[in-house]
Amino acid sequence: MATTNTMSRIQGLYAITDSGLLQGKLLPAVAAALQGGAQIIQYRDKIAIGLSADANQREQQRRHDEATALLALCRQHHIPLLINDDVALAQAIGADGVHLGQGDGSLFAARARLGANAIIGVTCHDRLDFAKIAARDGASYVAFGAMFASDTKPLAQSCPLSTLTEARAQLPLPLVAIGGITPDNAASVIDAGAQAVAVIASLWQTPDIRARAQQFSQEFVRT
């Protein structure tokens, strides 16, 4: 179950990096998002399938170096860095935790490896039953989506806002909404129960990342 400290850290704009959108500009882009108020950063970079052993090693080293640099940046801003799927990388660099998809390994194994204080999030798509299992097994937060049509995952199953509302009433841990979220629709998922909005395309594809991050952040201080 999420601790009070974890719950206070899972809120606001949750920025997920994208290796395609941020190629060659990862650190300055994330720095701009942090300056605009991003409260959580997730490093998401998938290694291509079918690489040679040498190419795979180079990719592993690149990811290690990028994640290490991101962690230093996040430390400067006192913001947690999570690693997408890769528990070994999170452990190697001392990241604050990981985010696991439904097919990305055991939550129990990740917790045993990263420790009781690690932030471990779990993708639950549109399934409240998945979220209940994750909560029972010790997840720090659960993520629902795609809330809206998503450029990053166009084939993702859509998740109704009512699922967030039901989850908020039944689960004692933070909820993250993801999928097609923009400044124009963020209020709807926040009002439905999400403590954080995870954003990729809408954040990184804008010419002014800091200003876009501020737009999202302002949605959490509406009166």
Side-chain angles (χ1 to χ4, degrees), residues 73-193:
L73 179 61
C74 288
R75 289 285 184 268
Q76 293 174 18
H77 291 264
H78 308 289
I79 295 298
L81 174 70
L82 308 185
I83 306 297
N84 180 267
D85 298 350
D86 195 335
V87 177
L89 178 57
Q91 183 182 40
I93 70 166
D96 297 282
V98 293
H99 182 87
L100 301 175
Q102 284 296 313
D104 294 326
S106 162
L107 194 161
F108 288 118
R111 178 66 69 196
R113 194 164 180 177
L114 298 179
N117 294 325
I119 299 172
I120 301 179
V122 177
T123 293
C124 297
H125 304 297
D126 62 336
R127 298 283 297 273
L128 189 56
D129 56 332
F130 286 176
K132 289 179 178 178
I133 292 169
R136 180 199 67 193
D137 292 346
S140 306
Y141 70 86
V142 291
F144 289 100
M147 303 309 305
F148 307 100
S150 169
D151 291 337
T152 304
K153 292 188 176 182
L155 301 180
Q157 174 68 37
S158 63
C159 178
L161 291 173
S162 59
T163 299
L164 287 177
T165 303
E166 292 174 22
R168 176 75 284 121
Q170 298 181 42
L171 298 175
L173 72 174
L175 310 181
V176 176
I178 187 171
I181 298 175
T182 70
D184 293 330
N185 59 33
S188 63
V189 296
I190 296 169
D191 291 344

Side-chain angles (χ1 to χ4, degrees), residues 59-80:
E59 282 294 282
Q60 292 281 12
Q61 187 61 52
R62 176 186 61 78
R63 295 174 77 251
H64 184 280
D65 292 346
E66 287 183 348
T68 299
L70 275 183
L71 182 62
L73 179 61
C74 288
R75 289 285 184 268
Q76 293 174 18
H77 291 264
H78 308 289
I79 295 298

